[in-house]
Amino acid sequence: MFGTRKLGRTSAQRKALLRQLTTDLLEKGRIETTFYRAKEVQPVAEKMITLGKKGNLAAYRRAMGFITKEDVVNKLFKEIAPKYADRNGGYTRVTRLGARRGDAAETAVIELV
């Protein structure tokens, strides 16, 4: 389910990171992180929105198994997914911001379109 970048973490840490980033993105609508983390969270967030568009109980339970907050899952199914009902993918956008001060890591903003 996840991409090929390891992000300098073990597989369990990487899964936890992507779960939290996806939860934050769906909760706030936009987050600022490193470019490679944003590129990794993008397909995961799009899959969660696709689950929200299905709207059945099985999709709700799969989303609950991945997203860490129940109110975010409710928001996904009630507000976010209906907004993208007529759109076939491309729910998120990654925009590069430049180098971060301190470690010069390339930063980006990932947001819901």
Side-chain angles (χ1 to χ4, degrees), residues 25-82:
L25 175 63
L26 294 174
E27 183 177 22
K28 299 173 184 161
R30 136 187 201 125
I31 55 172
E32 182 177 336
T33 183
T34 64
F35 175 71
Y36 293 106
R37 286 181 185 175
K39 291 301 280 186
E40 281 300 302
V41 79
Q42 189 174 20
V44 178
E46 298 216 359
K47 285 176 185 165
M48 290 297 119
I49 294 172
T50 302
L51 282 177
K53 285 174 61 175
K54 288 183 182 177
N56 57 13
L57 182 60
Y60 186 84
R61 288 180 175 169
R62 284 190 64 194
M64 278 297 297
F66 190 80
I67 297 173
T68 59
K69 296 179 182 175
E70 187 173 356
D71 58 335
V72 175
V73 177
N74 288 329
K75 180 180 177 182
L76 171 66
F77 277 75
K78 299 278 191 297
E79 299 172 21
I80 297 172

Side-chain angles (χ1 to χ4, degrees), residues 95-113:
T95 308
R96 294 177 189 234
L97 293 179
R100 180 167 61 195
R101 185 176 176 162
D103 62 354
E106 189 175 3
T107 58
V109 169
I110 182 167
E111 58 191 350
L112 298 175
V113 176

